Amino acid sequence: LAALEPGHYELEIGWLADPQAELLVSINGARTALTGARDGTATGGGCFSARTQSSEVTKRMTVRLDAPGDVIVDYLSLGRPEAKKR
């Protein structure tokens, strides 16, 4: 992914999966695990979205997605951390 200008960004990911499905995200080598659950007790699959931790992006970043089960990635979006505080 490429940023329009250097700075701190969070990666927002939207995906469709069974409940408790894990999506492993690696950004420039730093790994995060996201779980498809609502309130930790999801019983049906569905659409999920989550943001990763803020990362410094100078020009572009390498993103790798892995999932042990079936996951359909809907979108990836870069946003500034302060954008979610509105």
Side-chain angles (χ1 to χ4, degrees):
L1 291 176
L4 295 176
E5 58 186 49
H8 283 281
Y9 289 88
E10 292 175 328
L11 176 65
E12 183 173 0
I13 304 171
W15 73 98
L16 175 67
D18 288 332
Q20 305 302 321
E22 224 178 28
L23 181 61
L24 306 171
V25 182
S26 181
I27 301 172
N28 293 335
R31 298 182 68 184
T32 302
L34 304 175
T35 303
R38 291 181 185 85
D39 302 324
T41 59
T43 57
C47 297
F48 304 100
S49 66
R51 289 179 178 242
T52 61
Q53 290 182 323
S54 177
S55 301
E56 179 69 27
V57 178
T58 53
K59 288 191 179 183
R60 61 180 212 177
M61 57 198 284
T62 301
V63 177
R64 179 183 170 138
L65 304 174
D66 293 302
D70 293 336
V71 171
I72 298 171
V73 175
D74 185 29
Y75 65 89
L76 301 174
S77 175
L78 280 179
R80 297 283 190 165
E82 60 271 10
K84 68 180 180 182
K85 295 178 184 177
R86 292 182 190 166

